[in-house]
Amino acid sequence: MATNISTARNPYATSFGTKVLNSLKNLLPTAVATLILLTIWQLLCSLPGATLPGPIQVVEETWPLIIDPFYRGDGTDQGLFWQLAASLQRVAVGYSLAAVAGVALGVLVGVSTLMFRALDPIFQVLRTVPPLAWLPISLAALKDSQPAAIFVIFITAIWPIIINTGVGVQNIPQDYNNVAKVLKLSKMKYFTKVLIPSTVPYIFTGLRIAIGLSWLAIVAAEMLTGGVGIGFFIWDAYNSGIVSEVILAIIYVGLVGLLLDKIICFIADRVVPAD
Amino acid sequence: MSAFVVIDHIDQVFPLANGGAYIALKNISLEIKKGEFVTLLGHSGCGKSTLLNIIAGLARPTAGGILLEGRQVTEPGPDRMVVFQNYSLLPWLTVRQNIALAVDEVMSHLPASERSEIVEHHIDMVKLRPAAEKRPGQLSGGMKQRVSIARALSIKPKVLLLDEPFGALDALTRSGLQDQLMQIAQQNQLTCIMVTHDVDEALLLSDRIVMLTNGPESYIGQIIDVPFARPRERLKVVNHPNYYALRSEISYFLNQQKKAKQRKTQVVAIARNGLEKVNLELGFMPLTDCASLVVAHEMGMFKKYGLEEVTLSREPSWKAISEGVVSKRLDAAQMVAGMPLGLTVGMGGRAPIPVVTSLVLSRNGNAITFSKRLFEAGVRNLADFKAMLTAEAGAQPRTLASVHPASMHNLIMRYWLASGGIDPDHDVNLTVIPPPQMVATLKAGNIDGFCVGEPWNAHAVSEGLGFVIANDLELWAGHPEKVLGMREDWANQYPETHLALVKALMEAAEYCDDRRNRGEIAELLAKPNYVGAKLDYIRAGFLDPYDRGDGRPPETLLRFNQFHIDMTNCPNRGEALWILTQLARWGIAPFPKNWVDVLDRVRRMDVYGAAARALEMPDTAPNRGSFALFDGTVFNPDDPLGYLDSLAIKQEIQIQEIDLDGAVSKTAVAA
């Protein structure tokens, strides 16, 4: 605290210094809250008869995993980095496919009233199906756990992308459409100069929701399909009775999810045109 | 000069959520010349932007169409570029890119270097060089509108459409841009159509100002020609001697419309059949052209539309009819065409009583009959009569009769006399006699001629008492003759009954115009409780060839009695305005300064249209425009006062503002 105050009073403080100070100020409440939560967790788990390990015990028990994420063993015995990488790879494939198909379908239902009437009710029904409910069907159809897991990601991620893109296209301001009509803009020009620029903010809202859902779905899907991946790692740890590893994995899952969200936000900020 | 843009009988109807329909525009017709700057002016909600969108092709009219250089407009296109009210620039493109988008698309046949030259030229034209690389978000409102104008002009449209282009700008920016637009429009000979609600802006920029009435069913209320010479300068325009006269004329129009907007109708309890009132007392005069009332009564049209207890009351005179309706003894009545207008503006110095008409019952059917004595004295036409009067100067003047001061008989006979150089108020003696007494009075020698409807001319001719010197097919074919008239407060109190009555009478009118039915109708009319005349007299002109009694063989006049065909029933406002000018011309009533409002209230086109649509008949109205009677004097409905000025024979014209709502409250107090 003493250093903080002295920095604040320093008349020669650089703007960089002020920035660091500000972000420290913002982080402080988070740090305090985390500390309190950890304390409560530790206290609760120190009670007699506690079934779960406390934070200190978790760190002690999983120390090898923490310090060596790049460990390579046989089969599913891999470091946490590789587990996460395997999961991320599946997400990347499924999500990319969903993004391409979702934007295309969204534009289609947005542009054509007929297509909207035909397809929107179907989308509305399908999007309520929980991701894991697709797994048996995809396993039955694709006969392999790897493509089945990717399909689950795809089918989970595609709905918010379609729906948001569709809404975005439908919400292109009438003014812009009128300009396009009066100028008789060609289809291609309308698409690149009007439709896409004005729909991009909606598309990114969809993409952001979709990335969150994909990450949720992959953990669940991997628990069932097995193989290398953070989902199966959790399941495996549970079956081996090592709850500390489960907890560590959950923390990693949360952090990676947050990171994915931030990445999409970062891209959106670069791509979405400023008004 | 042929029209460049033709707006041809546009109707625009929007379906409502409750299954009804909102009629935004009704029968809008306008022709615009090349290089002309036309402004559409009106209160918000009057449909002026809707009309502009229709011209742009962004909206399709429900009926009618737009022609540009003779070709129908079916979709938007760069030949009708729009400057939108909210600029409509693409925010992700720079000023240059926004203009280039238009130029590259529309002028793709030009090489790239030429296109970029055009873009740069237009950036300079609106003085936006320093902002060329900026995006719309970084520009002020005025700059954005300049980009929008530059974009519109860069593609060289045939017509430039401007939708309240300066509405959102501050006064200083606005006047600067107006000057700029005026200059550009002049230099490039642009044809412009602009929507605005700013009177000064309209006067500064336009050649013609088209003023729309309030919705629903907006129509062109008045068109004003702006006479200021071009090129114009703001200060010179403002200091022009006509400027404030025009400005106040426009403001007056807008104020009238504002008042009209504030009126509301009350809701009344329904009696039966979905109608507020099913027992009606309707007045009529014993004349062939009461046929549609008689048919509606006898053939069940009244009952069909739920009017269960209609009594037709045979009235002794038109005066009795007007008093019957005013005193509310009669619910509605057959009236001579000028009566609702005359009562509404306060005919003969009486307080104005708003009376409406939503249906013209008949057209034509009158003739001017002169006595056999004049025939024997050699009178065959108007010139002969004039010569006779000149020869007789100083003696007792000849006496002619019509049926009511506000009747077409009176107005057309006066017009006819005046066209022959005879002042009807000095050179002859004019008197009013109820139709059934005409023949007897002529026989007694008290009058030398009359103008009346059938069967009374035929009666005089067949008895050898007179001859028809002119019939109204020769004077004004298709003029409105009898109308359905009722008090405005009655019409407001019983709107559904009113509509049912109009529907029943329209259907009856259609029946009357089928010549196969006319024999039967003539027999009905001959009955003593209706016309009570010999069948032969009624059939004359109605069905049989018409004998003028001047030795020529009888001729078949297919349109002598017109009940339905050719928009007979439409109470259109142009002809009503002519009647107003004639009432004023002969000192019968003052000319209402607020004539647009008077016509809007008296001639209920909305009820007529609703009835026609309900009967699945066309609800079209005749063209709004100038017309002429037999003598060729053109009547321009946009300049009734100029028309009155131009007439040689007339009385002193009184012009008054008629306070229609004040009149209502006064009579209410009196009652």
Side-chain angles (χ1 to χ4, degrees):
Chain A
M1 282 304 264
T3 48
N4 281 352
I5 290 165
S6 68
T7 326
R9 282 186 183 162
N10 182 358
Y12 300 107
T14 59
S15 67
F16 177 76
T18 328
K19 264 188 193 164
V20 169
L21 179 70
N22 278 340
S23 47
L24 276 180
K25 267 186 184 164
N26 289 338
L27 279 177
L28 194 64
T30 318
V32 171
T34 313
L35 208 64
I36 292 174
L37 274 175
L38 287 173
T39 316
I40 295 173
W41 176 14
Q42 182 65 43
L43 286 175
L44 284 175
C45 294
S46 326
L47 292 176
T51 49
L52 294 177
I56 296 168
Q57 193 190 345
V58 167
V59 173
E60 280 169 1
E61 285 181 10
T62 59
W63 192 245
L65 285 172
I66 296 172
I67 56 159
D68 190 11
F70 300 106
Y71 166 78
R72 303 224 71 154
D74 295 329
T76 59
D77 179 23
Q78 305 288 345
L80 271 175
F81 173 82
W82 301 113
Q83 302 282 4
L84 284 165
S87 297
L88 280 172
Q89 194 192 347
R90 290 189 189 103
V91 166
V93 176
Y95 179 78
S96 305
L97 290 175
V100 173
V103 169
L105 280 170
V107 169
L108 184 70
V109 293
V111 169
S112 155
T113 322
L114 177 74
M115 283 299 172
F116 179 78
R117 290 203 185 121
L119 298 178
D120 188 63
I122 301 174
F123 294 162
Q124 295 298 341
V125 171
L126 292 183
R127 86 187 168 92
T128 60
V129 176
L132 281 192
W134 293 103
L135 192 59
I137 285 192
S138 53
L139 278 172
L142 302 169
K143 313 259 183 231
D144 189 6
S145 64
Q146 180 73 4
I150 290 173
F151 176 77
V152 169
I153 300 304
F154 171 82
I155 206 77
T156 309
I158 196 165
W159 308 119
I161 302 176
I162 292 178
I163 289 167
N164 279 282
T165 307
V167 168
V169 174
Q170 284 166 348
N171 280 332
I172 296 175
Q174 193 56 39
D175 297 339
Y176 303 162
N177 282 333
N178 283 346
V179 169
K181 279 191 211 157
V182 172
L183 292 176
K184 286 197 174 161
L185 285 188
S186 65
K187 287 254 156 61
M188 197 56 212
K189 260 206 177 147
Y190 175 71
F191 192 76
T192 55
K193 299 281 182 182
V194 179
L195 188 142
I196 289 299
S198 67
T199 315
V200 154
Y202 291 86
I203 294 179
F204 270 91
T205 308
L207 289 175
R208 206 177 146 189
I209 299 172
I211 195 74
L213 288 180
S214 322
W215 193 238
L216 292 183
I218 191 64
V219 174
E222 283 173 351
M223 282 186 181
L224 298 180
T225 56
V228 179
I230 194 71
F232 184 70
F233 175 85
I234 292 172
W235 193 240
D236 194 38
Y238 166 72
N239 283 333
S240 323
I242 316 170
V243 183
S244 292
E245 284 187 9
V246 174
I247 291 171
L248 179 72
I250 284 174
I251 291 167
Y252 274 110
V253 166
L255 290 175
V256 170
L258 180 70
L259 186 70
L260 288 174
D261 191 60
K262 291 289 173 204
I263 290 171
I264 298 291
C265 274
F266 178 77
I267 299 173
D269 281 348
R270 292 296 139 111
V271 176
V272 173
D275 251 344
Chain B
M1 200 192 221
S2 68
F4 188 63
V5 182
V6 179
I7 300 169
D8 189 11
H9 296 96
I10 294 284
D11 286 359
Q12 184 65 292
V13 182
F14 298 111
L16 293 179
N18 63 11
Y22 179 82
I23 305 178
L25 298 172
K26 187 77 199 152
N27 198 31
I28 308 270
S29 288
L30 188 68
E31 297 196 345
I32 296 165
K33 293 191 282 278
K34 198 174 164 89
E36 199 176 11
F37 198 120
V38 170
T39 298
L40 304 174
L41 193 68
H43 285 291
S44 46
C46 76
K48 50 194 190 310
S49 290
T50 307
L51 182 59
L52 198 78
N53 277 341
I54 292 174
I55 300 171
L58 292 168
R60 296 294 301 269
T62 313
I66 305 285
L67 297 179
L68 173 62
E69 290 185 309
R71 280 198 194 175
Q72 192 177 356
V73 166
T74 52
E75 53 172 5
D79 53 351
R80 284 156 285 119
M81 185 60 191
V82 188
V83 175
F84 298 92
Q85 182 178 10
N86 39 9
Y87 327 123
S88 296
L89 301 171
L90 300 178
W92 42 85
L93 300 181
T94 63
V95 168
R96 179 177 284 120
Q97 286 168 334
N98 262 295
I99 301 174
L101 180 71
V103 173
D104 289 345
E105 187 69 30
V106 178
M107 308 200 157
S108 50
H109 55 280
L110 295 179
S113 61
E114 239 170 277
R115 291 199 304 250
S116 96
E117 225 168 82
I118 294 174
V119 173
E120 300 308 320
H121 170 73
H122 285 87
I123 290 175
D124 289 334
M125 180 193 256
V126 293
K127 306 188 175 73
L128 279 174
R129 173 65 49 201
E133 291 307 324
K134 287 190 176 161
R135 293 201 175 152
Q138 298 163 279
L139 303 179
S140 69
M143 289 164 92
K144 280 190 243 182
Q145 196 55 289
R146 268 145 70 190
V147 180
S148 180
I149 290 173
R151 178 177 64 182
L153 292 174
S154 64
I155 56 171
K156 305 243 170 299
K158 291 176 180 163
V159 184
L160 185 63
L161 305 173
L162 303 122
D163 188 1
E164 301 202 23
F166 312 128
L169 306 176
D170 63 276
L172 203 61
T173 316
R174 187 159 61 221
S175 67
L177 275 185
Q178 286 164 351
D179 289 340
Q180 229 173 358
L181 174 66
M182 185 161 60
Q183 240 176 21
I184 293 170
Q186 250 154 241
Q187 280 164 4
N188 299 286
Q189 291 288 301
L190 281 173
T191 310
C192 298
I193 304 173
M194 180 173 75
V195 162
T196 185
H197 52 244
D198 180 335
V199 178
D200 294 299
E201 179 173 289
L203 275 170
L204 177 68
L205 295 173
S206 6
D207 297 309
R208 269 195 299 164
I209 300 175
V210 175
M211 296 188 282
L212 296 175
T213 61
N214 283 333
E217 303 201 27
S218 296
Y219 55 92
I220 297 178
Q222 197 180 352
I223 299 175
I224 286 186
D225 285 310
V226 183
F228 311 139
R230 292 194 183 272
R232 290 180 187 165
E233 273 171 48
R234 182 177 295 272
L235 280 178
K236 277 191 190 160
V237 165
V238 174
N239 292 326
H240 193 279
N242 281 356
Y243 184 80
Y244 282 94
L246 287 172
R247 195 182 189 287
S248 73
E249 193 172 353
I250 297 168
S251 306
Y252 184 75
F253 176 93
L254 292 175
N255 278 336
Q256 274 186 53
Q257 292 303 314
K258 200 189 273 171
K259 270 194 227 160
K261 212 175 186 177
Q262 286 157 356
R263 260 177 251 134
K264 276 175 192 153
T265 50
Q266 72 250 50
V267 182
V268 195
I270 303 294
R272 236 182 303 163
N273 305 335
L275 306 180
E276 303 90 351
K277 194 173 193 297
V278 293
N279 55 322
L280 298 183
E281 184 93 6
L282 303 179
F284 75 98
M285 282 295 286
L287 289 160
T288 311
D289 49 21
C290 72
S292 37
L293 285 160
V294 172
V295 164
H297 192 51
E298 294 282 337
M299 305 287 173
M301 283 84 172
F302 283 142
K303 291 217 168 60
K304 178 175 171 189
Y305 292 102
L307 300 164
E308 291 171 357
E309 300 162 41
V310 174
T311 316
L312 292 186
S313 168
R314 189 180 195 259
E315 298 290 320
S317 68
W318 290 113
K319 194 163 176 243
I321 283 196
S322 96
E323 280 167 4
V325 168
V326 168
S327 70
K328 302 186 181 174
R329 174 175 63 84
L330 297 171
D331 289 295
Q334 177 196 24
M335 286 185 176
V336 286
M339 192 181 277
L341 293 161
L343 288 169
T344 302
V345 299
M347 190 170 49
R350 285 195 294 185
I353 296 155
V355 172
V356 303
T357 182
S358 38
L359 189 73
V360 174
L361 290 168
S362 65
R363 288 174 187 268
N364 305 328
N366 298 333
I368 300 173
T369 296
F370 272 18
S371 72
K372 228 21 189 224
R373 292 184 299 281
L374 292 181
F375 186 77
E376 279 150 13
V379 175
R380 295 290 181 277
N381 54 39
L382 188 59
D384 297 342
F385 186 54
K386 166 79 178 164
M388 179 186 217
L389 291 178
T390 317
E392 289 177 353
Q396 181 76 12
R398 296 282 174 177
T399 302
L400 301 174
S402 70
V403 298
H404 188 267
S407 72
M408 294 307 282
H409 316 89
N410 185 31
L411 301 180
I412 290 185
M413 184 160 68
R414 281 170 175 270
Y415 189 96
W416 177 69
L417 290 170
S419 76
I422 301 169
D423 185 333
D425 288 305
H426 292 106
D427 302 337
V428 292
N429 185 17
L430 285 183
T431 181
V432 169
I433 294 171
Q437 297 166 30
M438 282 294 185
V439 179
T441 322
L442 186 72
K443 195 172 183 178
N446 295 337
I447 55 174
D448 298 288
F450 54 70
C451 181
V452 73
E454 297 302 336
W456 310 111
N457 296 292
H459 188 167
V461 165
S462 74
E463 289 207 0
L465 296 170
F467 73 104
V468 172
I469 190 165
N471 67 40
D472 51 16
L473 288 177
E474 298 153 9
L475 301 180
W476 182 6
H479 73 77
E481 173 51 32
K482 302 298 181 331
V483 298
L484 176 71
M486 62 192 64
R487 289 180 65 116
E488 189 187 51
D489 47 11
W490 189 96
N492 288 342
Q493 198 176 352
Y494 308 116
E496 291 302 324
T497 308
H498 184 189
L499 186 63
L501 182 60
V502 172
K503 282 196 281 190
L505 286 171
M506 268 177 97
E507 197 171 311
E510 191 184 29
Y511 185 88
C512 290
D513 257 358
D514 188 334
R515 292 188 84 78
R516 290 169 298 185
N517 302 329
R518 285 219 170 159
E520 168 199 22
I521 297 170
E523 277 170 34
L524 269 178
L525 289 174
K527 287 187 185 171
N529 53 335
Y530 296 125
V531 181
K534 260 171 88 176
L535 185 58
D536 286 347
Y537 301 163
I538 290 174
R539 289 177 65 99
F542 187 64
L543 192 57
D544 294 344
Y546 192 76
D547 183 6
R548 301 173 68 118
D550 55 0
R552 283 188 272 172
E555 50 181 336
T556 304
L557 303 173
L558 288 176
R559 293 249 176 139
F560 189 66
N561 288 105
Q562 197 175 308
F563 294 97
H564 181 72
I565 51 162
D566 208 11
M567 301 184 272
T568 291
N569 301 127
C570 173
N572 85 74
R573 302 181 189 95
E575 57 196 26
L577 183 58
W578 183 88
I579 294 174
L580 283 177
T581 62
Q582 300 300 312
L583 291 174
R585 178 184 185 184
W586 306 118
I588 299 163
F591 186 80
K593 186 164 178 251
N594 48 337
W595 48 270
V596 175
D597 196 27
V598 167
L599 293 176
D600 189 57
R601 284 179 68 172
V602 174
R603 302 287 248 186
R604 291 292 298 270
M605 289 288 288
D606 56 332
V607 178
Y608 162 77
R613 288 188 294 278
L615 296 176
E616 296 185 349
M617 293 175 182
D619 62 345
T620 45
N623 288 347
R624 181 189 183 284
S626 303
F627 57 88
L629 272 60
F630 65 98
D631 63 335
T633 309
V634 174
F635 173 71
N636 172 8
D638 286 313
D639 190 17
L641 294 174
Y643 170 78
L644 277 171
D645 272 346
S646 75
L647 299 170
I649 300 179
K650 59 175 179 261
Q651 296 199 3
E652 197 187 328
I653 309 286
Q654 282 187 24
I655 300 171
Q656 263 179 33
E657 166 145 358
I658 308 295
D659 184 1
L660 297 170
D661 296 309
V664 171
S665 56
K666 254 181 255 163
T667 49
V669 170

